Amino acid sequence: MPVDEGTVQEVLGVLDPNKLSFSLLFRTIFIFAVGLLVIRLIMRTVDRLMRLHKDVFGLQKQIRSIIRVSLWVLLILTLLGSLEVDIAPLIALLSVMGLAVSLALQNTLTNLAGGMTILAAKPFQSGDYIQADGIEGTVDSIGLAYTRLTAFDGKRISVPNSQMSSAKIVNFTNHDEGRRVDLTFSASYNAPTQTVKQALQTVVDSIPQIKPDPAPVIWINAYQSSAIDYVVRVWTDSSDYWTVYYALMEGVRESFQKHGVEMTYNHLNVHLDSR
């Protein structure tokens, strides 16, 4: 966006040396010293707040830079005002430049706003296992523009914060209880209910990563056309979710065989009527 040359000359030429006086210079120096002190105090406060909120660690440098530049611009404008400089043209110039920069960095600023929203609302944090708009993985970091995830297969996924802040987020991590594993197994109608539950309980007891509290549960979940569905619900740490998942999947088949429980599959019984 072009800037009017006359405006620049007006901004650069507003300071008239003939207007300077000792009292004016003293007042300016005093304001400058106080401004430096205020900036230092504000930056220390910002650093202290960011240490308390570790979630903003990934944005620490960017936040400090934005606040520091803003404070220095404010101090410079205040100093020019104390020197009886007409800062209206300068403000107009800065407005034009700010508009040009905001248009050029529109996507970046949108992602930055999304990152701030995530950090403020805290729908998830580093280490959580989440799902958002079909993307699933463990949160590695919340950066300036992107939230980075690691999928179960090891892929690194970078999602723009603007997309992440507006997505429907499912957080599977419960920091108090962990994550629940829900699995359904089918057994024949011929197998006694207590025998099936004992076979499933044997597998649950053999997996050390399963938490005793909340206690694991095994229930009949549904009566199907050719089998009874049993649901197994156990709790584990989020980091052990897939270990427990596959340990149950592999252990149940062997346990069913030992207890004489038939694992059924969809089939069709045909009865021939002989006449």
Side-chain angles (χ1 to χ4, degrees), residues 103-239:
L103 291 176
L105 302 178
Q106 183 175 4
N107 292 335
T108 301
L109 293 176
T110 303
N111 288 331
L112 176 59
M116 294 297 182
T117 301
I118 293 172
L119 293 174
K122 295 183 179 180
F124 56 84
Q125 59 186 12
S126 296
D128 288 357
Y129 193 91
I130 66 171
Q131 183 184 72
D133 288 347
I135 301 172
E136 187 171 338
T138 302
V139 179
D140 288 333
S141 63
I142 305 171
L144 176 63
Y146 294 91
T147 295
R148 290 176 171 80
L149 312 175
T150 298
F152 176 65
D153 57 3
K155 293 179 181 177
R156 298 292 301 274
I157 305 173
S158 297
V159 185
N161 284 335
S162 57
Q163 175 183 341
M164 186 64 74
S165 62
S166 60
K168 178 181 178 181
I169 298 171
V170 180
N171 192 335
F172 294 98
T173 301
N174 184 318
H175 292 279
D176 295 328
E177 297 177 349
R179 186 177 175 187
R180 194 176 75 182
V181 183
D182 287 11
L183 288 174
T184 300
F185 301 95
S186 298
S188 170
Y189 274 95
N190 296 326
T193 299
Q194 291 304 318
T195 301
V196 177
K197 286 189 173 183
Q198 181 59 44
L200 294 172
Q201 187 65 49
T202 300
V203 181
V204 170
D205 293 340
S206 68
I207 303 175
Q209 291 85 356
I210 293 178
K211 294 185 174 184
D213 185 27
V217 295
I218 301 172
W219 291 323
I220 291 179
N221 191 46
Y223 294 96
Q224 304 293 347
S225 58
S226 58
I228 299 177
D229 287 344
Y230 293 81
V231 62
V232 178
R233 292 177 177 171
V234 298
W235 287 87
T236 185
D237 292 332
S238 298
S239 58

Side-chain angles (χ1 to χ4, degrees), residues 31-84:
I31 293 175
F32 180 72
V34 172
L36 286 179
L37 179 61
V38 171
I39 291 176
R40 183 172 299 180
L41 291 175
I42 291 177
M43 296 308 301
R44 286 183 178 177
T45 303
V46 170
D47 291 338
R48 189 178 301 112
L49 291 175
M50 286 192 291
R51 283 195 295 268
L52 293 176
H53 300 277
K54 296 181 179 180
D55 291 334
V56 302
F57 179 77
L59 298 176
Q60 182 175 359
K61 293 178 63 177
Q62 292 80 7
I63 294 175
R64 292 187 83 260
S65 297
I66 292 173
I67 295 176
R68 183 180 291 276
V69 170
S70 300
L71 291 174
W72 272 101
V73 170
L74 182 60
L75 177 58
I76 291 173
L77 292 177
T78 304
L79 291 174
L80 292 176
S82 69
L83 292 172
E84 299 182 358

